Amino acid sequence: MKSAIDIANDVRTGATTAVAEAERSLAAIRSRNEELNVFVHVDDEGALETAQRVDAQIARGEDPGALAGVPLALKDNLCHVGKLTTAGSRILEGWRSPYSATVVNLVLKAGAVPMGKTNMDEFAMGSSTETSYYGPTRNPLDPARVPGGSSGGSAAAVAADMTPIALGSDTGGSIRQPAALCGLVGVKPTYGLVSRFGLIAFASSLDQIGPFAKNVTDAALLLEVIAGHDPRDSTSLPEGAPSLVAGVDAGVAGKRIGLVRELLEGADDDVVAAVGRAREVLTEAGATVVDLSIPECRLGLSAYYLIAPAEASSNLARFDGVRYGLRVDADDVAAMNEATRTLGFGAEVKRRIMLGTYALSAGYYDAYYGQALKVRTQMINAFHRAYDQVDLLLGATAPSVAFKFGEKTSNPLAMYLSDVFTIPTNLAGDAAISVPFGRGEGDLPIGVQLLGPGRSEAQLFAAARVLEVEQTS
Amino acid sequence: MTLPDGWEMVVGLEVHTELKTTTKMFCGCANVFGAEPNTRVCAVCLGLPGSLPVLNVRAVELAMAIGSAVHSTISPSTFHRKNYFYPDMPKDFQISQYDLPINVGGYVDLPDGSRVSIERAHLEEDTGKSTHLGASGRIHGAERSLVDYNRSGVPLVEIVSGPDIRSSAQARLYASELRGILIATGASDGRMEEGSMRIDANVSVRHANEPFGTRCEIKNLNSLRSLGRAIDFEALRQIDLLNAGGVVRQETRHWDETLGATSTMRTKEEAEDYRYFREPDLVDLAPDLAWQERVRDGLGPMPAERRAALAARLNEPTSTQLDALQVVVDLGFDVLVAAALDADVDAGLVLARAANELAADAENIHSLTTDAFITTLLMEQNGELSATQAKTVLLELLAHGGDPRAIANAKGFEQLSADSLGDVVAALIQANPDEWSRFREGDEKLAQFFIGQVMKVTKGQANGKAVIAELNSRR
Amino acid sequence: MATPLRREDVAKVAKLARLSLSDEELDMFTEQLGQILEHANDIAALQLDDVVATAHPFGLINVMREDVLEPCLSRDDVLAMAPDSEDGRFAVPRIMGEAP
Ligand SMILES: [Mg+2]
Ligand SMILES: [Zn+2]
């Protein structure tokens, strides 16, 4: 399949049209969506309309932008005005947002053509896309396996060649883990680099929107389009958007990279072997790779599973049946709230809401939530110390290749462990990228993770590109 | 009211005031009272999924102005979420300042010489408004409720006093002084009747010099009168309870204005667990010293100072005049009043007209020029207008502006000519021979009787002083 | 040090969060949440008295907007998504108590 950059170039030069690309994308969606359950809402009409507008711009001699005519998939927690936006939940079934997320406005401004909304774990709570009210998404590489999650639909859309690029959100690994399991590049940008305005919140202090792509350059291009300061998001970083595509081939010569022991602990042998080979490739490319230990990473999972549910318990309170979404009638308003939320939320969401409510409640705050925030401080400090010694860090993205359906659904803790290598970056607020490197069990792709300090995306893309080149050559 | 022997009440007030910003606290919707329901709402103040708050700089500035005016220390602060479910709160949490408020400490000095300490004055957002459908129109017994979110997200400052108040009179004095201060800072219009200033009172009782008793919180007192009555009722209720061998339970109580009583709303055991935590969608607030100074420098003199300045121009002011002075200053009529005093209008007349007629329609004060005010009062003072006529002219000036003489002419308020007044008085003397002879014999009280009669006949167009002159000339 | 999670804790938390649970769900969630909290005891047990809590990864301060009007949503759009409305307002079943 053509890359996003090639499509945009061909649209701009007239070698193809946005409408033709949208139709090709729609055909690909039609051919496999029933089998894989990738898109929960396919926006045929909207996509063709947008594509026609792009073509009209070209006809007028205008430049539609860096993503001219590129079909794109949106995770269903991104608001798009007038379009269905359900966050994988029954409680928002049929809800059409009356406004658009900043990132949606930005991709449209760059000429991209949103094809619809992709499936996700309910309110992004999950690592397999099995908690969606709209049914699980299947991994296009092996439909008996999960695509990862929570952005499993967006990952599958790209892996199944339905769209060359997609947007997801990453709260504890929800872009990088599915990218690893579907053989894609996935980026968790620095906290505050991409506006969260219009992203249905899971855990506000951890959520970031980021790109999926088949290659490093496309991922850099999409991130370049969506990054930058947004006055509608108070946590948005004040600096402007970084230049990313221009530097993807900068290489890693002279860079110091730390291989983090804790980011391999408990990983399958094939995964450990792939990271070992990545180390060799980076060394051959001129980097110095040293062994490092960041023991605080071991505390990440616990801190994350207190902080994220605590914020979520508050963020999801608004789904009460009063203003929008599902309502289950009852005699009084409190009973109505309860009936609505009981029917509208799935088990995983209830689990996390209760966990978070407990962690914040009187008598437990200090032991749980308060303590988790202090661990977060320690995590940040530990990464600062590591980045005093090295430029980037290296580890695995996920402990294993894509797992089978139902394998981890009965034991929440086992499922949570699939995010153990990705969570520390979210807690630290830093940037990380997962890049496909090697194959493991069942010839399934393995993801290698590169981590860097805040606003190190350009360096991360350059390092990931080194691995990508070795992989494809 | 005095409490039974040996008892003392201990009261602290939480005063919520809406801030006079153009837009709401976290979004660009208009902050206005009285708009059509749900026409001033957006994704943010409706709490739609994905929306994020961004703090209004003007709200911060007004909070700092309030803090400066009550001698608080402006401090680095944070925002928290206060979590509880309620239909008029779109996100089902309120963004409020918690352990680190923007204003810490302070005090307010009252006209009676007492001082009430301020613990904190913090920023928070207002909720929407519910209307209850059903026979009673009240929350109890309603079948359904309707919610309007226009008020949702309007900026509030909550000013929390120390437990320093010892009587309902002092509570009212404090609330009224604070109201004047809020108006003087430009932070609030202080309109209790529109709910832009709302008060909760914490009330406990004790024997003098003993430790504080258990307190009850009375919610949502929407006038100074309710505030005073509710505190008195609650203190007596607690004393009766204790005298009867009972104990006061810590609880939240509701004041019923018609019944004149408080009743249990929620006991301590039923109190919500608010699960406060830092609002992750907002960052810390730390106004730098230069900004704090700009706000402080921008503050004009506060009501106490302004009252003193005007009082210095009165000869031994009466208590009525001092009360009027409070109203005049709270409403910001200082310049107008000073100009009228400069123009040699009688001080009693100036204060009475300003504190009554002008205060009654203070919203329209901009329609009234200083010249028009002075001219009207001088006409009244010179006997060209009766008191009733002068009031009518002032109200007309407030409503539509204009020239007082022209208004008086248009309304037919020419002074009754001396001839026609003479005719009227002569006729009345004839009709009331007994009263006239008693007046002639020196019963001065009967002058009022004749003035009343003249006013009746002339429909208020006569001037009282002229009537007395006419009567005396015929004695 | 945190005590093990009890069934009544879960029931209380469910009530706070406006969720109702069947007896079986109560058992299941008590067990599952108990396991997660037990895992979290690794951090609950740490001695971190001197560590400052982090709410934000980066220390931004004083992010504010000017006090300038922006367009509101149309009332028709807003009420169109409401489960129930009347008279330009959102309609809800009766409210049992006043706001806390
Ligand atoms: Mg409050
Ligand atoms: Zn708004």
Side-chain angles (χ1 to χ4, degrees):
Chain A
M1 185 189 174
K2 265 202 288 192
S3 70
I5 284 207
D6 287 347
I7 293 174
N9 281 338
D10 289 353
V11 168
R12 282 157 140 171
T13 57
T16 181
T17 63
V19 168
E21 293 300 324
E23 277 169 348
R24 198 212 61 78
S25 170
L26 284 173
I29 293 169
R30 256 177 250 126
S31 83
R32 286 194 85 185
N33 201 42
E34 210 169 306
E35 173 207 356
L36 301 175
N37 195 27
V38 172
F39 280 82
V40 281
H41 322 290
V42 182
D43 186 19
D44 308 51
E45 247 177 72
L48 290 173
E49 250 175 61
T50 309
Q52 279 158 9
R53 262 205 309 278
V54 171
D55 287 335
Q57 279 181 289
I58 301 275
R60 287 197 300 271
E62 296 164 16
D63 183 357
L67 296 174
V70 178
L72 167 117
L74 296 173
K75 187 176 180 177
D76 202 22
N77 56 0
L78 296 169
C79 292
H80 186 177
V81 63
K83 313 288 182 189
L84 289 164
T85 305
T86 60
S89 183
R90 180 174 192 177
I91 213 158
L92 278 177
E93 193 172 15
W95 187 65
R96 289 176 189 274
S97 172
Y99 77 105
S100 284
T102 297
V103 291
V104 171
N105 287 330
L106 287 171
V107 294
L108 285 169
K109 220 179 104 196
V113 179
M115 305 307 298
K117 298 299 196 62
T118 59
N119 200 13
M120 55 185 281
D121 281 298
E122 186 177 3
F123 285 104
M125 297 175 186
S127 309
S128 64
T129 318
E130 289 168 291
T131 73
S132 171
Y133 172 66
Y134 304 97
T137 296
R138 299 183 173 277
N139 191 321
L141 307 175
D142 177 354
R145 292 175 190 257
V146 304
S150 65
S151 315
S154 281
V158 178
D161 288 334
M162 293 172 171
T163 59
I165 49 174
L167 286 177
S169 64
D170 190 316
T171 306
S174 282
I175 293 174
R176 289 161 289 160
Q177 184 256 17
L181 272 48
C182 290
L184 305 173
V185 176
V187 184
K188 197 299 266 189
T190 304
Y191 185 78
L193 186 73
V194 180
S195 168
R196 292 183 294 116
F197 186 77
L199 164 68
I200 299 180
F202 163 15
S204 313
S205 78
L206 303 164
D207 295 342
Q208 268 297 282
I209 298 166
F212 285 101
K214 277 235 163 132
N215 64 73
V216 171
T217 314
D218 278 359
L221 178 67
L222 180 51
L223 183 54
E224 217 173 77
V225 166
I226 62 171
H229 178 70
D230 181 11
R232 290 184 187 279
D233 176 357
S234 305
T235 63
S236 170
L237 292 173
E239 302 91 349
S243 159
L244 299 170
V245 176
V248 288
D249 286 315
V252 291
K255 296 281 183 212
R256 287 178 63 82
I257 297 173
L259 176 56
V260 185
R261 182 189 309 154
E262 289 76 14
L263 297 186
L264 284 176
E265 265 173 7
D268 288 354
D269 291 346
D270 48 3
V271 173
V272 175
V275 175
R277 281 198 306 281
R279 173 190 194 138
E280 287 165 22
V281 170
L282 291 166
T283 308
E284 275 164 34
T288 307
V289 183
V290 299
D291 288 303
L292 264 182
S293 171
I294 306 180
E296 286 78 1
C297 287
R298 294 197 187 110
L299 301 174
L301 197 70
S302 293
Y304 176 84
Y305 276 99
L306 294 170
I307 293 171
E311 292 181 8
S313 71
S314 174
N315 283 331
L316 269 60
R318 69 190 66 194
F319 301 99
D320 59 6
V322 174
R323 291 157 300 277
Y324 45 80
L326 181 73
R327 172 182 294 185
V328 179
D329 269 317
D331 259 7
D332 66 81
V333 81
M336 182 277 280
N337 293 155
E338 191 167 301
T340 300
R341 292 165 62 80
T342 300
L343 185 70
F345 291 140
E348 183 60 30
V349 171
K350 288 177 185 166
R351 198 150 36 232
R352 302 216 198 176
I353 288 176
M354 288 192 285
L355 184 58
T357 305
Y358 183 74
L360 288 175
S361 63
Y364 300 102
Y365 180 99
D366 289 338
Y368 290 118
Y369 186 70
Q371 191 79 346
L373 293 183
K374 292 179 170 188
V375 169
R376 189 167 187 186
T377 307
Q378 293 201 310
M379 181 80 73
I380 291 171
N381 293 341
F383 275 103
H384 280 169
R385 284 195 300 273
Y387 292 128
D388 283 344
Q389 300 169 49
V390 296
D391 299 301
L392 301 174
L393 298 170
L394 174 67
T397 305
S400 70
V401 295
F403 47 91
K404 297 209 172 76
F405 284 101
E407 216 173 275
K408 302 187 181 187
T409 42
S410 59
N411 182 352
L413 198 54
M415 183 71 86
Y416 296 173
L417 279 166
S418 53
D419 293 334
V420 68
F421 302 148
T422 44
I423 279 169
T425 305
N426 298 80
L427 289 171
D430 291 339
I433 187 168
S434 179
V435 58
F437 192 77
R439 293 192 170 256
E441 183 216 327
D443 199 32
L444 288 161
I446 290 170
V448 161
Q449 191 180 198
L450 287 153
L451 302 78
R455 297 192 68 94
S456 63
E457 281 81 0
Q459 291 187 65
L460 289 172
F461 282 120
R465 176 86 182 126
V466 168
L467 297 180
E468 177 179 70
V469 168
E470 175 62 25
Q471 179 83 348
T472 48
S473 63
Chain B
M1 193 204 67
T2 47
L3 295 181
D5 235 12
W7 287 98
E8 177 179 78
M9 66 166 83
V10 175
V11 177
L13 298 187
E14 295 169 15
V15 176
H16 293 81
T17 181
E18 288 182 347
L19 300 179
K20 275 199 326 187
T21 51
T22 304
T23 63
K24 295 186 182 181
M25 183 136 159
F26 298 117
C27 65
C29 293
N31 170 12
V32 286
F33 179 80
E36 278 291 297
N38 294 305
T39 54
R40 300 293 184 274
V41 293
C42 71
V44 176
C45 57
L46 273 178
L48 294 192
S51 64
L52 296 172
V54 185
L55 185 58
N56 181 341
V57 68
R58 181 72 185 144
V60 175
E61 205 156 80
L62 292 177
M64 285 160 65
I66 292 173
S68 304
V70 300
H71 313 280
S72 290
T73 307
I74 296 171
S75 310
S77 62
T78 59
F79 290 90
H80 274 66
R81 291 184 183 179
K82 180 180 183 181
N83 295 285
Y84 61 95
F85 283 89
Y86 207 74
D88 65 17
M89 205 167 50
K91 304 180 295 291
D92 289 300
F93 60 77
Q94 181 197 30
I95 303 178
S96 175
Q97 298 197 304
Y98 181 53
D99 52 351
L100 297 172
I102 180 162
N103 298 302
V104 179
Y107 59 87
V108 173
D109 285 330
L110 306 188
D112 68 358
S114 68
R115 169 174 288 190
V116 174
S117 68
I118 300 293
E119 288 181 355
R120 54 190 282 150
H122 67 259
L123 275 162
E124 60 185 30
E125 58 177 338
D126 210 344
T127 61
K129 232 175 173 170
S130 312
T131 314
H132 307 295
L133 300 183
S136 66
R138 292 190 42 218
I139 192 162
H140 299 290
E143 285 134 32
R144 253 151 98 69
S145 298
L146 302 181
V147 195
D148 166 18
Y149 294 102
N150 281 350
R151 199 181 67 183
S152 151
V154 162
L156 293 176
V157 164
E158 178 178 338
I159 303 147
V160 182
S161 85
D164 299 346
I165 295 166
R166 293 293 175 271
S167 71
S168 57
Q170 194 191 7
R172 293 181 58 154
L173 201 57
Y174 165 76
S176 136
E177 187 67 17
L178 189 57
R179 181 171 172 271
I181 291 173
L182 293 174
I183 297 169
T185 57
S188 166
D189 54 25
R191 278 189 212 127
M192 293 190 78
E193 61 290 355
E194 287 180 5
S196 75
M197 181 171 152
R198 308 190 284 272
I199 304 177
D200 303 337
N202 287 299
V203 180
S204 65
V205 296
R206 64 171 176 180
H207 286 291
N209 300 323
E210 280 184 3
F212 288 156
T214 305
R215 68 190 159 91
C216 290
E217 184 179 19
I218 316 169
K219 297 295 265 188
N220 270 321
L221 300 165
N222 295 329
S223 71
L224 292 183
R225 187 177 129 83
S226 308
L227 171 67
R229 290 178 71 207
I231 288 175
D232 282 339
F233 176 90
E234 180 59 20
L236 285 177
R237 183 191 74 85
Q238 293 181 14
I239 291 167
D240 285 349
L241 192 61
L242 293 169
N243 279 339
V247 286
V248 176
R249 284 186 310 176
Q250 186 177 335
E251 59 186 15
T252 309
R253 297 180 69 85
H254 168 81
W255 167 251
D256 187 314
E257 183 68 37
T258 350
L259 295 178
T262 64
S263 58
T264 301
M265 225 169 96
R266 204 175 298 105
T267 62
K268 194 188 175 192
E269 291 67 40
E270 296 163 333
E272 280 278 350
D273 180 349
Y274 292 122
R275 290 156 286 139
Y276 278 100
F277 73 107
R278 283 276 283 278
E279 165 56 280
D281 290 326
L282 291 170
V283 303
D284 294 1
L285 191 58
D288 61 35
L289 288 173
W291 189 17
Q292 293 182 31
E293 228 160 83
R294 271 201 312 283
V295 171
R296 221 172 283 127
D297 291 349
L299 285 181
M302 288 299 118
E305 195 182 325
R306 288 159 46 201
R307 282 197 304 268
L310 286 179
R313 308 188 47 171
L314 308 178
N315 270 327
E316 295 182 23
T318 64
S319 70
T320 314
Q321 288 179 343
L322 287 177
D323 287 347
L325 211 52
Q326 177 122 24
V327 175
V328 158
V329 165
D330 283 356
L331 292 171
F333 298 163
D334 314 37
V335 173
L336 199 62
V337 165
L341 295 175
D342 287 343
D344 285 330
V345 185
D346 172 71
L349 185 58
V350 176
L351 288 176
R353 292 291 167 268
N356 295 311
E357 280 66 48
L358 303 195
D361 195 11
E363 271 157 79
N364 285 323
I365 196 71
H366 53 90
S367 313
L368 177 76
T369 64
T370 309
D371 276 352
F373 181 57
I374 294 172
T375 305
T376 310
L377 295 192
L378 286 175
M379 284 168 77
E380 183 182 353
Q381 190 164 303
N382 300 336
E384 287 170 62
L385 288 176
S386 69
T388 314
Q389 289 170 338
K391 291 176 190 179
T392 307
V393 170
L394 282 178
L395 292 179
E396 177 63 23
L397 286 167
L398 287 165
H400 301 110
D403 169 51
R405 285 183 195 285
I407 292 169
N409 277 335
K411 296 222 179 250
F413 288 170
E414 310 111 79
Q415 182 66 46
L416 276 186
S417 69
D419 281 357
S420 43
L421 180 62
D423 292 349
V424 171
V425 169
L428 283 169
I429 287 173
Q430 245 182 351
N432 300 283
D434 288 354
E435 285 79 3
W436 175 242
S437 59
R438 274 158 56 201
F439 176 73
R440 285 185 70 175
E441 284 151 22
D443 189 348
E444 297 298 332
K445 282 192 306 250
L446 280 149
Q448 283 312 314
F449 165 77
F450 281 105
I451 291 175
Q453 293 296 312
V454 171
M455 290 299 180
K456 220 177 190 174
V457 173
T458 63
K459 299 199 170 67
Q461 287 196 34
N463 181 299
K465 283 182 196 160
V467 175
I468 290 175
E470 186 66 33
L471 289 169
N472 283 332
S473 74
R474 291 167 188 258
R475 229 173 188 167
Chain C
M1 194 57 232
T3 49
L5 186 75
R6 297 159 304 180
R7 213 167 176 271
E8 63 254 41
D9 296 326
V10 178
K12 190 179 141 209
V13 159
K15 190 163 179 282
L16 263 179
R18 298 263 156 107
L19 296 169
S20 57
L21 302 179
S22 67
D23 280 351
E24 299 81 70
E25 284 175 316
L26 201 51
D27 291 334
M28 177 187 80
F29 284 124
T30 304
E31 193 196 322
Q32 292 174 340
L33 297 180
Q35 277 174 17
I36 299 162
L37 288 169
E38 211 179 286
H39 189 271
N41 277 339
D42 61 351
I43 68 166
L46 295 175
Q47 218 301 98
L48 298 174
D49 287 351
D50 301 332
V51 181
V52 182
T54 295
H56 279 293
F58 304 106
L60 296 179
I61 56 162
N62 297 341
V63 176
M64 287 172 276
R65 44 175 274 274
E66 291 302 313
D67 186 19
V68 176
L69 286 171
E70 282 186 59
C72 298
L73 290 171
S74 98
R75 180 161 80 181
D76 289 347
D77 288 355
V78 160
L79 293 179
M81 64 185 171
D84 190 9
S85 69
E86 186 178 326
D87 241 358
R89 284 171 269 218
F90 294 83
V92 292
R94 64 204 166 110
I95 302 173
M96 296 299 274
E98 303 193 42

